[in-house]
Every structure is written in structure tokens, then in C-alpha cells.
Amino acid sequence: MIGRIWAIALNTFREAARIRVLYGIVVLVVGANLLSIVLGEMAHEETRVARDVGLTGMSLFGALTAIFLGVFLLYTEVQRRTIHAIVSKPIERWEFVVGKYLGMALVLTVLVVLFGLAMTLVNAVQGTPVTGNVVQAIVLAWFEVLTVAAIAIFFSSFSTPFMSGIFALAMWVIGRVTPDVEAAARTASPWIKTLTRITLEIVPDLHLFAVSGRSIDGAHVSVHGDFVSWGYVGLAGLHGLGWIIGLLALSALLFHRRDFV
Amino acid sequence: MADLAIDVRDLTKTYRTPFARRKVEALRGVTFQVEKGHIFGFVGPNGAGKTTTIRTLMGLIRPTGGSATILGKQLPSRAARFQVGFLPEAPYFYDYLTVAELCDLAGRLFGIPAAVRKKRADELIERVGLSRARGQALKKYSKGMLQRAGLAQALMNDPELVVLDEPMSGLDPIGRKEVRDLILSLRDQGKTVFFSTHILSDVEAITDRVAIIVKGELREHGTPGELVSRTVLGTDVMIRIAEAADVTALTDAGDRVRRKGDALSLTLPANADIDAWIAKAHAAGGKIVQVTPRHETLEDLFLRKVEDAKASPSPGGDT
């Protein structure tokens, strides 16, 4: 089982590594990091700007890449019929879905590492060491990206890339602003409150992975000052893992029922 | 009952069109058996249901009704897939891989150890004639080369049953002969080969049994000999007779009349009195060169079955 999943994961990694758009995204993020040196000097907040730009770029472009890979890689297997020569072999369909996800996760991990290295390099140029807070923020961004990839794969298992992309993007945005939506709904009519509550229940709490600048249990947290504990990072990771497992299980179930004509 | 490699019973597949929800019957109670060690040709025009049947056997499509076993295992069966090699129709593979990498991926999915994978891939690449192109990515391959690469990956697990969907498609005459030879050599090794095609000469040349499917229904099933020897279509005759001779009395009863110099050839109908015609030819001064009963060929049978199906009400199938 592990061997088959790994075979699909490695092949997916190889496939994704050939997508030129990914190299464009890396160049864009590295460029933004370099630009943050100039912006930081203009604002006389070199370190703050560099970290904010680096972490935002990691989170934003990481999530967008996850959506892009998630909605295309599974769909193109079916569309181009490459899947015919694969699922006719003794591999279970859920193993194929998990393998595809792991391959994507591998690509996204490499991207997050590259984005992190770019930020570290800029910090090093500025003479600022990488703090534990920054490492925690990078790990949280990584969890977020992996969760978004599972969301995209889930939609891709039954929908076209365009629709999957829209759904996944919508879930990412809503998941990011859950506390704000909840706060806004407090003063709304009862049925809007109910609708909001139901909507937020079926959306992963992605805001848990982007906490810098927010309040947690009444305390303000910031990557530039007092940040979350490793315990929080671990719990957020478990939250993401739960969603990833659930979404992959649903994807596998939907994929299992499909005819490949 | 003989040992069966494939046993298909009353297989049906019905699709619904996306918006109109119209029912499309791709397979309508298909039943056939393939004995172990045989080469079985599955013949039908485009859209007859060949590929749907094969994809159902390979677990790509879930049947609406009926049942099927492969090597005694009820489908769907992962255990059965361990013993089957499959070449899809117009195969699409990951075009960034080389043929060696494609074989390696196939081998990994069968759980074959690395050393065995490498050895078997090398042997198969040589066998399908891709040694010189083994370093090239598949995207640079011609259609025929892709077909060969597909055959190589299908044989990685040394399968007991080989299922080939249109294996001769896209191949030139030499390539087709090589695939035919490969299929025959697989049978010589004791393997069962099930392949679909619409190239009837290939079927007649190498199959032990044939099934003809039209509009999702099996129309004929048997050995090529059984299928084509049932009907005598007519008798081809050839005589030599003086160019100036009036042959109207001889040609009235026949068709496909050809006269060139002193050679006259025609086909007499199946119910014609051949002895009386020969006597008439002698009386006219003719000399008999050839009298050959013309049996129905597989192509004749195939075309007749397609025409019969056209005349019958359409189930609306198109796969």
C-alpha cells in the first residue's frame, strides 16, 4: 500500500515540477521579499516589513498554488485518461487520491521552504536573526497551505477546474475571515445568524493559521512581539490534519463511485 | 466447463446524458466466455460497446447490471488486477516520462522489487522495439511508439491475462505484424489474450475465438471457422472463351461479371445449378479454368451484422 501511494506521490511531484507557473510564483515571492528591503527602509521598519511581506507572500501564494495544483492535477488525470493505465492496476482508488495529495503536499512543502529561505535571506541581509515566532508562523502557514490543497482536491474529485477553483477560493477566503463574519452576524437577523453559523461550520477555520495581529483568548498576538505557543501550533496542526483526513476521505468516496469513460 | 479467463454474464451499462437525462444503453446483456490460453478477438464498429466492455472488465466503469469474473475472481477484484495486463485504447501516458520510467511506475504499482522492475523493463523495451528510443520522453513518441510503450507497461507484471484495447490502432503494416507476433508469442507462453479491434484481417489471422458486438449487443460468438463457414455466398467461376463468343446466356445468372480478352469470370448465386452452368459453358465453346465456392468471410459476416443492427431499432448507445 505504502509503495503504491509513494509511486503516485513521486509521479505527481515530478508532474508538478514541470509546471512553469510554479517557477513564476517562486520568482514573484522572492522578488517581493527583495522589494521588502526597499519598502522597509522607506518606512524605517526594515525587519517588520520584511517579515510581514515574507509571511503574507508565503500564505497568499502558497494557498493560491495549492488551489491551482489541487484543481488541476486530479482533473487532468481523468481528462487526459492517464488514469486508465493506473487504476486498472492493483491500486485502490483511495490510494490514488492520497498519493496525488501527498505529491502535491511535497511540492507545496518545497515551495514553503523556498519562501522561508527567501525571507531568512532578507532578514540576514538586514542583520536580524530568525526568531522562534517566525518559525512558528512559517509552520502555521505550511499547515494552512496543506489544508487548502485538500479543499481543492475535494472539489476537484467531482467538479471542473473552474468550479473547483471558485469553490476552493471561496472556502479559503471565508475560512480566513471566520471571526469577522461571526462578529458581523451577531447583530443580524436570526435566520442570517443561523445561515452564517451553518456556513462557518462547514468551512475549515483557516484563520487559526494566520493569527499574527489578532487576539487569542483576549491576548493580542503578533509575530513581531508576543506570539502563540508551540502547543497552539500543534493544536492548529491537528485541526488542519482533521480537515485534511476528512476531505481526502470524502474525495476518495466520490472518486470511488466515478466511471472513467 | 473449460477453465475460463473471462466470464461475462448479461453485462449491461446504461448512462444518462448530463442535462436531458436521456438513457443511453451502451451494453445490453453482453454474455461471453474466454477460455484460458486462447486469443480472443472482440470485434465491432466504432461505438459498438467494445471499449465500454473492456473498461468495465478493468474496473474503470461500474456495470449497471450483470456480472463478470476474471480468472475466477468476481469483479471488481483487486486480486484479479494483479494477474492482468492492460493496454488502454489510444493510450495516454505521462508524457514527461521515458518508457523505462513508465514501466518502472507500472512495476511499482504491482509491488515488483526494484531489481526485478529494472530487468523486466529492459527486456520488455527490447521486445517491443523501443531500445533506441528508451531515453526519449514519451511526448516525443509517435502514435505507434506510444502503442508499443503501452504494451511494455502492460506486460510488466508478467500477466496471466492480457487485455488490449485496439492494439493495432495507429500502427503501420510492419508494426501491426510485430504486435500480431507478440500476441501469438504470449499465447505460446500460455497466456490468454483478449483484444478489441476493427481490423478484421488481424482477427482472422490470429484469434482462436471471435465475438462481434454491435450497438451494445453480442451478435456472434465462436471460432472464426465456425462463424464464416456457415454460409456459402456463391460460386466464383472462370472460363476461357473466344472473345467473339456471345456469353449472354452464361452471364445472365451471375453477377460481378468481368471479361478481359478470352477470360470471363463471374460469381454464380448460392442456389445456382453449377453442373448445368458448366455444361452450358462447354456447349458455348468455353474451357473451365476455375470453380470455387465463395464462403462468407469474417468481413462479410461483420458487415452483415452491422447492417442487421442498423435495420433493428436503435438503443441509442454510443460508446
Coordinates of all heavy atoms in Angstrom, one line a residue, chain B residues 20-71:
Chain B
A20 N -30.3 16.3 -20.4 CA -31.6 15.8 -20.8 C -32.0 14.5 -20.0 O -33.2 14.1 -20.0 CB -31.6 15.5 -22.3
R21 N -31.0 13.9 -19.4 CA -31.2 12.7 -18.6 C -31.7 11.6 -19.5 O -32.4 10.7 -19.0 CB -32.1 12.9 -17.4 CG -31.7 14.1 -16.5 CD -30.3 13.9 -15.9 NE -30.2 12.8 -15.0 CZ -29.0 12.3 -14.6 NH1 -27.9 12.8 -15.1 NH2 -28.9 11.4 -13.7
R22 N -31.4 11.6 -20.7 CA -31.8 10.6 -21.7 C -31.0 9.3 -21.4 O -29.8 9.4 -21.1 CB -31.6 11.0 -23.1 CG -32.2 10.2 -24.1 CD -32.1 10.9 -25.5 NE -30.7 11.1 -25.9 CZ -30.0 10.2 -26.6 NH1 -30.5 9.0 -26.9 NH2 -28.8 10.4 -27.0
K23 N -31.6 8.2 -21.4 CA -30.9 6.9 -21.2 C -30.1 6.5 -22.4 O -30.7 6.5 -23.5 CB -31.9 5.8 -20.8 CG -32.2 5.8 -19.3 CD -33.4 4.9 -19.0 CE -33.0 3.4 -18.9 NZ -34.1 2.6 -18.4
V24 N -28.9 6.1 -22.2 CA -28.1 5.6 -23.3 C -27.6 4.2 -22.9 O -26.8 4.1 -22.0 CB -26.9 6.5 -23.6 CG1 -26.0 5.9 -24.7 CG2 -27.3 7.9 -24.0
E25 N -28.1 3.2 -23.7 CA -27.7 1.8 -23.3 C -26.4 1.5 -24.1 O -26.5 1.2 -25.3 CB -28.8 0.9 -23.7 CG -30.0 1.0 -22.8 CD -31.1 0.0 -23.2 OE1 -31.8 0.2 -24.2 OE2 -31.2 -1.0 -22.5
A26 N -25.3 1.5 -23.4 CA -24.0 1.2 -24.0 C -23.8 -0.3 -24.2 O -23.2 -0.8 -25.1 CB -22.9 1.8 -23.3
L27 N -24.2 -1.1 -23.2 CA -24.2 -2.5 -23.2 C -25.5 -3.1 -22.9 O -26.2 -2.7 -21.9 CB -23.1 -3.0 -22.2 CG -21.7 -2.6 -22.4 CD1 -20.8 -3.2 -21.3 CD2 -21.1 -3.1 -23.7
R28 N -26.0 -4.1 -23.7 CA -27.3 -4.6 -23.5 C -27.2 -6.2 -23.3 O -27.3 -6.9 -24.3 CB -28.2 -4.3 -24.6 CG -28.4 -2.8 -24.8 CD -29.5 -2.4 -25.7 NE -29.2 -2.8 -27.1 CZ -30.2 -2.9 -28.0 NH1 -31.4 -2.7 -27.7 NH2 -29.9 -3.3 -29.2
G29 N -26.9 -6.6 -22.1 CA -26.9 -8.0 -21.8 C -25.8 -8.8 -22.5 O -26.1 -9.8 -23.2
V30 N -24.6 -8.3 -22.5 CA -23.5 -8.9 -23.1 C -23.0 -10.2 -22.4 O -22.8 -10.1 -21.1 CB -22.3 -7.9 -23.3 CG1 -21.1 -8.6 -23.8 CG2 -22.7 -6.8 -24.2
T31 N -23.0 -11.3 -23.0 CA -22.5 -12.6 -22.4 C -21.5 -13.2 -23.3 O -21.8 -13.4 -24.5 CB -23.7 -13.5 -22.2 OG1 -24.7 -12.9 -21.3 CG2 -23.3 -14.8 -21.6
F32 N -20.4 -13.6 -22.7 CA -19.4 -14.4 -23.5 C -18.3 -14.9 -22.5 O -18.3 -14.4 -21.4 CB -18.7 -13.5 -24.6 CG -17.9 -12.4 -24.1 CD1 -16.5 -12.6 -23.8 CD2 -18.4 -11.1 -24.0 CE1 -15.8 -11.5 -23.3 CE2 -17.6 -10.1 -23.5 CZ -16.3 -10.3 -23.2
Q33 N -17.6 -15.9 -23.0 CA -16.6 -16.5 -22.1 C -15.3 -16.6 -22.9 O -15.3 -16.8 -24.2 CB -17.0 -17.9 -21.7 CG -18.1 -18.0 -20.6 CD -19.5 -17.8 -21.2 OE1 -19.8 -18.2 -22.3 NE2 -20.3 -17.0 -20.5
V34 N -14.2 -16.4 -22.2 CA -12.9 -16.6 -22.9 C -12.1 -17.7 -22.1 O -11.9 -17.6 -20.9 CB -12.1 -15.2 -22.8 CG1 -10.7 -15.4 -23.5 CG2 -12.9 -14.1 -23.4
E35 N -11.7 -18.7 -22.9 CA -11.0 -19.8 -22.3 C -9.6 -19.4 -22.0 O -9.0 -18.6 -22.8 CB -11.1 -21.0 -23.1 CG -12.4 -21.7 -23.1 CD -12.5 -22.9 -24.0 OE1 -11.5 -23.6 -24.2 OE2 -13.6 -23.1 -24.6
K36 N -9.0 -20.0 -21.0 CA -7.6 -19.7 -20.7 C -6.7 -20.2 -21.9 O -7.0 -21.3 -22.5 CB -7.2 -20.4 -19.4 CG -7.6 -19.7 -18.2 CD -7.0 -20.3 -16.9 CE -7.4 -19.5 -15.7 NZ -7.0 -20.2 -14.5
G37 N -5.7 -19.5 -22.2 CA -4.7 -19.9 -23.2 C -5.2 -19.5 -24.6 O -4.5 -19.8 -25.6
H38 N -6.3 -18.9 -24.8 CA -6.8 -18.5 -26.1 C -6.5 -17.1 -26.4 O -6.3 -16.3 -25.6 CB -8.4 -18.7 -26.1 CG -8.8 -20.1 -26.4 ND1 -10.1 -20.4 -26.7 CD2 -8.1 -21.2 -26.5 CE1 -10.2 -21.7 -27.0 NE2 -9.0 -22.2 -26.8
I39 N -6.5 -16.8 -27.7 CA -6.5 -15.4 -28.2 C -8.0 -15.1 -28.6 O -8.5 -15.8 -29.5 CB -5.6 -15.2 -29.4 CG1 -4.1 -15.5 -29.0 CG2 -5.7 -13.8 -30.0 CD1 -3.2 -15.5 -30.2
F40 N -8.6 -14.1 -28.0 CA -10.0 -13.8 -28.2 C -10.1 -12.4 -28.9 O -9.6 -11.4 -28.3 CB -10.7 -13.8 -26.9 CG -12.2 -13.8 -27.0 CD1 -13.0 -14.9 -26.9 CD2 -12.9 -12.6 -27.2 CE1 -14.4 -14.9 -26.9 CE2 -14.2 -12.5 -27.3 CZ -15.0 -13.7 -27.2
G41 N -10.7 -12.4 -30.1 CA -10.9 -11.1 -30.8 C -12.3 -10.5 -30.5 O -13.2 -11.3 -30.6
F42 N -12.3 -9.3 -30.1 CA -13.6 -8.6 -29.8 C -13.8 -7.6 -30.9 O -13.1 -6.6 -30.9 CB -13.5 -8.0 -28.4 CG -14.8 -7.7 -27.7 CD1 -15.8 -8.6 -27.8 CD2 -15.0 -6.5 -27.1 CE1 -17.0 -8.4 -27.1 CE2 -16.2 -6.2 -26.5 CZ -17.2 -7.1 -26.5
V43 N -14.7 -7.8 -31.7 CA -14.9 -7.0 -32.9 C -16.1 -6.2 -32.9 O -17.2 -6.7 -32.5 CB -14.9 -8.0 -34.2 CG1 -14.9 -7.2 -35.5 CG2 -13.7 -8.9 -34.2
G44 N -16.1 -5.1 -33.5 CA -17.3 -4.2 -33.6 C -16.9 -2.9 -34.2 O -15.8 -2.5 -34.1
P45 N -17.9 -2.3 -34.8 CA -17.7 -0.9 -35.4 C -17.5 0.1 -34.2 O -17.7 -0.2 -33.1 CB -19.0 -0.6 -36.2 CG -20.0 -1.5 -35.5 CD -19.3 -2.7 -34.9
N46 N -17.1 1.3 -34.6 CA -16.9 2.4 -33.6 C -18.3 2.6 -32.9 O -19.3 2.6 -33.5 CB -16.5 3.7 -34.3 CG -15.1 3.6 -34.8 OD1 -14.3 2.7 -34.4 ND2 -14.8 4.4 -35.8
G47 N -18.2 2.7 -31.6 CA -19.4 3.0 -30.8 C -20.2 1.7 -30.5 O -21.4 1.8 -30.1
A48 N -19.7 0.5 -30.8 CA -20.4 -0.7 -30.6 C -20.5 -1.2 -29.1 O -21.4 -1.9 -28.7 CB -19.8 -1.8 -31.4
G49 N -19.5 -0.7 -28.3 CA -19.5 -1.2 -26.9 C -18.3 -1.9 -26.6 O -18.2 -2.5 -25.5
K50 N -17.3 -2.0 -27.5 CA -16.1 -2.8 -27.2 C -15.3 -2.2 -26.0 O -15.0 -2.8 -25.1 CB -15.1 -2.7 -28.4 CG -15.7 -3.3 -29.7 CD -14.6 -3.4 -30.8 CE -14.0 -2.1 -31.2 NZ -14.9 -1.2 -32.0
T51 N -15.1 -0.9 -26.1 CA -14.3 -0.2 -25.1 C -15.0 -0.2 -23.8 O -14.4 -0.3 -22.7 CB -13.9 1.2 -25.6 OG1 -13.0 1.1 -26.7 CG2 -13.2 2.0 -24.5
T52 N -16.3 0.0 -23.8 CA -17.1 0.0 -22.6 C -17.0 -1.3 -21.9 O -16.8 -1.4 -20.7 CB -18.6 0.3 -22.9 OG1 -18.7 1.6 -23.6 CG2 -19.4 0.4 -21.6
T53 N -17.1 -2.4 -22.7 CA -16.9 -3.8 -22.1 C -15.6 -3.9 -21.4 O -15.4 -4.4 -20.3 CB -17.1 -4.8 -23.2 OG1 -18.3 -4.6 -23.9 CG2 -17.1 -6.2 -22.6
I54 N -14.5 -3.5 -22.2 CA -13.2 -3.6 -21.7 C -13.0 -2.8 -20.4 O -12.4 -3.2 -19.4 CB -12.1 -3.3 -22.8 CG1 -12.1 -4.4 -23.8 CG2 -10.8 -3.1 -22.2 CD1 -11.2 -4.2 -25.0
R55 N -13.5 -1.5 -20.4 CA -13.3 -0.7 -19.3 C -14.1 -1.2 -18.1 O -13.6 -1.0 -16.9 CB -13.7 0.8 -19.6 CG -12.7 1.5 -20.5 CD -13.1 2.9 -20.8 NE -12.1 3.4 -21.8 CZ -12.3 4.5 -22.5 NH1 -13.5 5.2 -22.4 NH2 -11.4 4.9 -23.3
T56 N -15.2 -1.9 -18.3 CA -15.9 -2.5 -17.2 C -15.1 -3.6 -16.6 O -15.0 -3.8 -15.4 CB -17.3 -3.0 -17.7 OG1 -17.9 -1.9 -18.4 CG2 -18.1 -3.5 -16.6
L57 N -14.5 -4.4 -17.5 CA -13.7 -5.5 -17.0 C -12.4 -5.0 -16.2 O -12.0 -5.7 -15.3 CB -13.2 -6.4 -18.2 CG -14.2 -7.2 -18.9 CD1 -13.6 -7.9 -20.2 CD2 -14.8 -8.3 -18.0
M58 N -12.0 -3.9 -16.6 CA -10.8 -3.3 -16.0 C -11.1 -2.5 -14.8 O -10.2 -1.9 -14.2 CB -9.9 -2.5 -17.0 CG -9.3 -3.3 -18.1 SD -8.1 -4.4 -17.5 CE -9.0 -5.9 -17.5
G59 N -12.4 -2.4 -14.4 CA -12.7 -1.7 -13.2 C -12.8 -0.2 -13.4 O -12.9 0.6 -12.4
L60 N -12.7 0.3 -14.6 CA -12.8 1.8 -14.9 C -14.3 2.2 -14.9 O -14.5 3.4 -14.6 CB -12.1 2.1 -16.2 CG -10.7 1.8 -16.3 CD1 -10.2 1.9 -17.7 CD2 -9.9 2.7 -15.4
I61 N -15.2 1.3 -15.2 CA -16.6 1.6 -15.3 C -17.3 0.6 -14.5 O -17.0 -0.6 -14.5 CB -17.1 1.6 -16.8 CG1 -16.4 2.7 -17.6 CG2 -18.6 1.6 -16.9 CD1 -16.7 2.6 -19.1
R62 N -18.4 1.1 -13.7 CA -19.2 0.2 -12.9 C -20.4 -0.3 -13.8 O -21.1 0.6 -14.3 CB -19.7 0.9 -11.7 CG -18.6 1.1 -10.6 CD -18.8 2.3 -9.8 NE -20.1 2.6 -9.4 CZ -20.6 2.5 -8.2 NH1 -19.8 2.0 -7.2 NH2 -21.8 2.8 -7.9
P63 N -20.6 -1.6 -13.9 CA -21.7 -2.0 -14.8 C -23.0 -1.7 -14.1 O -23.1 -1.6 -12.9 CB -21.5 -3.5 -14.8 CG -20.7 -3.9 -13.6 CD -19.9 -2.7 -13.3
T64 N -24.1 -1.5 -14.9 CA -25.4 -1.2 -14.4 C -26.0 -2.6 -13.9 O -26.8 -2.6 -13.0 CB -26.3 -0.6 -15.5 OG1 -25.6 0.5 -16.0 CG2 -27.6 -0.1 -14.9
G65 N -25.7 -3.6 -14.7 CA -26.2 -4.9 -14.3 C -25.4 -6.0 -14.9 O -24.4 -5.8 -15.6
G66 N -25.7 -7.3 -14.4 CA -24.9 -8.4 -14.9 C -23.7 -8.6 -14.0 O -23.5 -7.9 -13.0
S67 N -22.8 -9.6 -14.4 CA -21.7 -9.9 -13.6 C -20.5 -10.3 -14.5 O -20.7 -10.7 -15.7 CB -22.0 -11.0 -12.6 OG -22.3 -12.2 -13.4
A68 N -19.3 -10.3 -14.0 CA -18.2 -10.7 -14.7 C -17.1 -11.3 -13.8 O -17.0 -10.8 -12.6 CB -17.6 -9.6 -15.5
T69 N -16.4 -12.3 -14.2 CA -15.3 -12.8 -13.4 C -14.1 -12.8 -14.3 O -14.1 -13.0 -15.5 CB -15.5 -14.2 -12.9 OG1 -15.6 -15.1 -14.0 CG2 -16.7 -14.4 -12.0
I70 N -12.9 -12.5 -13.7 CA -11.6 -12.6 -14.4 C -10.8 -13.6 -13.6 O -10.6 -13.4 -12.4 CB -11.0 -11.2 -14.5 CG1 -11.6 -10.4 -15.6 CG2 -9.5 -11.3 -14.7 CD1 -11.0 -9.0 -15.9
L71 N -10.3 -14.6 -14.3 CA -9.5 -15.7 -13.7 C -10.2 -16.2 -12.5 O -9.5 -16.4 -11.4 CB -8.1 -15.1 -13.4 CG -7.4 -14.6 -14.7 CD1 -6.1 -13.8 -14.3 CD2 -7.0 -15.8 -15.6

